[in-house]
Amino acid sequence: MLASFPLDQTNQTNQAALFLPPVTAEVGRDSHRPSSERPTVVDMTKPVAETHSHENDPGTARLIVLSDGVYAIAMTLLVINVAVPAHLEDAAFHRALGDALPNLGAFALSFTLIAGFWRDHRRILTALPIETALVTRLILLGLGLVAL
């Protein structure tokens, strides 16, 4: 586990009195390695707006727009299975609406799942330090699976 804490005067004084290591020390299996050799840790708890380090890159921006479009179309196509025939009397309409409830529930569940995938996909995509051909291919493969 990797932990890093900001160093301030109160912590420094308290640690000196207790003979503890400084709070900026990193704890975990990589703590013995120099910081230049440690793997980069991306904080996935930060809001997406704070992680847009390379979104201005034209290739990455186009990939983000493409993925947003694929997810939007996939979410829109879910509603095709939810239909009630037109020109029904009141009793027949209520019966048809009752028959459509399972499809409506499936739509709501599928929409929620795809929206969660989109949110996580966008967060991961914007947190990537660089875009490579391999990353692009993997993203396109994932988008192809979403389109299914």
Side-chain angles (χ1 to χ4, degrees):
M1 181 175 184
L2 188 62
S4 200
F5 304 97
L7 182 62
D8 63 6
Q9 288 301 104
T10 58
N11 285 341
Q12 196 173 28
T13 306
N14 293 340
Q15 289 172 356
L18 298 173
F19 302 104
L20 295 174
V23 284
T24 56
E26 294 177 342
V27 181
R29 66 176 181 224
D30 290 329
S31 60
H32 66 282
R33 294 162 64 182
S35 61
S36 61
E37 293 179 10
R38 291 187 196 133
T40 303
V41 178
V42 177
D43 186 5
M44 296 303 287
T45 60
K46 288 184 181 178
V48 175
E50 293 181 19
T51 60
H52 293 220
S53 60
H54 63 283
E55 195 170 282
N56 294 333
D57 176 36
T60 303
R62 287 176 41 198
L63 197 55
I64 290 171
V65 170
L66 173 67
S67 65
D68 287 351
V70 168
Y71 277 97
I73 291 169
M75 294 164 89
T76 303
L77 291 177
L78 291 173
V79 80
I80 289 176
N81 291 334
V82 180
V84 175
H87 309 295
L88 296 175
E89 298 296 322
D90 285 344
F93 174 75
H94 289 295
R95 196 173 332 107
L97 191 59
D99 293 341
L101 281 179
N103 287 341
L104 192 59
F107 163 75
L109 179 63
S110 299
F111 188 91
T112 303
L113 287 173
I114 291 177
F117 289 145
W118 169 78
R119 182 195 64 224
D120 294 341
H121 178 267
R122 184 157 175 106
R123 180 171 289 171
I124 290 168
L125 187 59
T126 56
L128 288 174
I130 57 170
E131 179 202 353
T132 63
L134 177 62
V135 169
T136 302
R137 287 184 184 121
L138 290 173
I139 289 170
L140 291 173
L141 175 66
L143 292 175
L145 294 174
V146 168
L148 286 177

